[in-house]
Amino acid sequence: MTPETSSSGSATSTASGSGATHASRTGHLAASGDAHTGLPIERVHDTLRKIAENVENVLVGKREVVRLTLVTLLAEGHLLVEDVPGVGKTSLAKALARSVDCTTNRIQFTPDLLPGDVTGVSVYNRRSETFEFRGGPVFANIVVGDEINRASPKTQSALLECMEENQVTVDGHSYPLGSPFMVIATQNPIELEGTYALPEAQRDRFTCRVSIGYPDKQAELAMVDEHASTDPLDGLSPVTDASEVTELLATVRRIHVTTELRRYAIELVTATRELAELRLGASPRATLQLLRAARAQAALNGRDFVTPDDVQDVAVPVLAHRLVLTGEARASRQSGSDLVRQLLGRIPVPRGTDTAL
C-alpha cells in the first residue's frame, strides 16, 4: 500500500526447547477450515531465519531481542521498546523495516504533536468543494514511533484504534490500514521530565515489551570494529516483502494449540488477577496475545504446533508490562517480570495429549 503523508513536519517517511509433544506434526495446518492454504512451516522458519540474521547485522549480540521482535510481528501485534538512550532502540525498528520490503513511516513524538499529525486530517478541496481525507504517517506497514511517552495523552490515544482494529476513523469515516501493520514504539524510562506515562489502555495494546540493554564487551568490540566507519543500515537489503509476510501471518494463525495449553494460558493470566502484589492483573486481551505469541514462537522453532515451552518463552514479555503493582510491591523492589516468573514456577505445566483444534 502507498501511504499518504500529512503535511506535518513531525513525521518523516522512509521507503528454545521443544518441551512435551502434544500433537503430531503432520496435517495440523491443513486441518484448518481457512481457504488460504498457507506456507509450509519449513519455508516460514527459513524466512524468519533470514530476517533475524539481517537484523542481527545491525543489532549485534541481541539475539533474544530480535527473537521477541519477530514473535511480535508474527503475532500481528505491536512492540514497545523501553530502554536508556543509545542502546539501539530505533536501530532495531529501522533494521526490521528495511529487512521487509514494505512501506515504513517514522513519527517523532513531541509534546506539540496533534492526533491529526498521526492519523491524518480532512482537507477542504476548493475545486470539488468537498473535504478529502489525507492519511497520516500511520498509513504504513511498519510505523516507528520514537519516544512515544513525550506526546500528550490525547495524541497517544490516536493510536488506540489503529493498534486494536487496524483502522482509522476521522469525521465519522473509517479507513482501513494495510497488512501487515505493526507499531514499534520506543520510550526512555529514565528521563521523565516532559513525558507522559503510558496509560494502562495504551500499554495493553502492545503485545510485547522488550529492553535491549547494554551489549557485552565482545559484542561492543565487534560493533566498534564494524560500525565505526559505516552505518550498517545503509547496506541492509530486504529479504522478504509485505505479501510474503502476510502469508506468514496466515500460516501462523493456524498453528495448532491443544485444549490443555489454552487452559494453561488462561490459568497464567487469571492468576495475575489474584496476586496480592498487584492492583491490576492482566486483561483477557493478554490471554489472546499470549496464545498468538506462543504460536509465533512455535513457528520460529520450525513447528506447526505449540508446546508448553513456547508459552513460557513469551509469558514474561507479553504479561509483565500489563501488570500494575501496589505501592508496597514497588517499595520492596518487585517487578512484573518477577511475579510472572513466580507464576510460571508455581502453576503446573500440562502434560496431556488432547489434539482437539
Side-chain angles (χ1 to χ4, degrees):
M1 80 184 243
T2 302
E4 293 183 75
T5 306
S6 70
S7 58
S8 168
S10 303
T12 56
S13 175
T14 61
S16 117
S18 63
T21 300
H22 286 261
S24 171
R25 191 173 161 151
T26 304
H28 287 309
L29 295 181
S32 171
D34 196 328
H36 196 294
T37 57
L39 298 173
I41 196 65
E42 293 79 10
R43 179 176 170 184
V44 173
H45 179 67
D46 184 59
T47 302
L48 296 174
R49 177 186 57 78
K50 292 178 181 177
I51 298 175
E53 290 175 353
N54 224 32
V55 176
E56 287 172 12
N57 288 331
V58 176
L59 205 68
V60 180
K62 295 297 178 181
R63 181 164 297 181
E64 178 69 7
V65 174
V66 174
R67 174 186 74 85
L68 291 173
T69 302
L70 292 181
V71 163
T72 305
L73 174 65
L74 292 177
E76 301 177 70
H78 310 283
L79 182 69
L80 179 62
V81 187
E82 187 176 278
D83 217 322
V84 296
V87 294
K89 300 188 296 295
T90 306
S91 295
L92 168 65
K94 288 183 176 180
L96 176 64
R98 295 197 182 187
S99 297
V100 180
D101 187 14
C102 62
T103 56
T104 306
N105 280 337
R106 176 178 174 272
I107 308 172
Q108 182 64 53
F109 282 82
T110 56
D112 61 345
L113 193 72
L114 298 176
D117 296 330
V118 176
T119 60
V121 294
S122 294
V123 178
Y124 184 71
N125 188 323
R126 291 185 178 183
R127 291 185 178 180
S128 62
E129 297 184 346
T130 59
F131 283 91
E132 297 178 352
F133 177 70
R134 295 186 180 178
V138 76
F139 283 86
N141 295 120
I142 297 179
V143 178
V144 181
D146 268 339
E147 297 187 286
I148 187 175
N149 57 333
R150 289 203 175 277
S152 67
K154 182 178 181 180
T155 301
Q156 290 180 19
S157 66
L159 285 173
L160 293 179
E161 181 185 17
C162 307
M163 296 169 67
E164 182 66 18
E165 302 177 37
N166 280 29
Q167 68 176 23
V168 168
T169 301
V170 176
D171 296 335
H173 298 281
S174 295
Y175 305 91
L177 300 172
S179 178
F181 173 68
M182 180 181 184
V183 174
I184 304 178
T186 71
Q187 69 171 354
N188 177 5
I190 304 300
E191 186 182 0
L192 300 179
E193 292 81 3
T195 64
Y196 303 85
L198 296 182
E200 286 76 12
Q202 184 79 52
R203 292 204 309 270
D204 200 37
R205 258 55 169 204
F206 287 101
T207 300
C208 290
R209 180 188 64 182
V210 299
S211 178
I212 296 177
Y214 293 115
D216 57 35
K217 292 182 179 179
Q218 185 175 359
E220 193 160 5
L221 178 61
M223 181 184 68
V224 170
D225 290 340
E226 298 173 11
H227 301 172
S229 58
T230 59
D231 186 348
L233 287 169
D234 294 339
L236 217 58
S237 300
V239 296
T240 185
D241 56 25
S243 61
E244 185 176 17
V245 171
T246 300
E247 291 186 277
L248 296 180
L249 301 182
T251 303
V252 170
R253 290 189 204 111
R254 288 185 299 281
I255 285 182
H256 181 68
V257 184
T258 65
T259 301
E260 284 83 359
L261 282 178
R262 293 177 182 178
R263 290 172 179 163
Y264 179 56
I266 292 172
E267 287 179 7
L268 280 174
V269 175
T270 302
T272 66
R273 304 167 193 163
E274 301 169 353
L275 290 174
E277 295 89 347
L278 297 180
R279 290 195 296 114
L280 183 67
S283 67
R285 182 186 287 114
T287 309
L288 296 174
Q289 296 291 340
L290 181 60
L291 287 174
R292 289 178 183 175
R295 284 188 170 101
Q297 179 63 35
L300 281 176
N301 288 332
R303 285 183 277 98
D304 61 1
F305 59 92
V306 175
T307 70
D309 284 350
D310 295 325
V311 177
Q312 294 176 345
D313 285 344
V314 299
V316 172
V318 170
L319 299 180
H321 66 285
R322 306 171 190 268
L323 308 181
V324 180
L325 277 69
T326 63
E328 292 81 2
R330 291 196 303 270
S332 61
R333 297 184 179 276
Q334 289 184 293
S335 68
S337 299
D338 295 334
L339 296 176
V340 174
R341 292 189 187 97
Q342 291 174 18
L343 291 177
L344 289 173
R346 193 175 72 199
I347 296 177
V349 177
R351 299 295 179 185
T353 57
D354 176 16
T355 58
L357 288 175

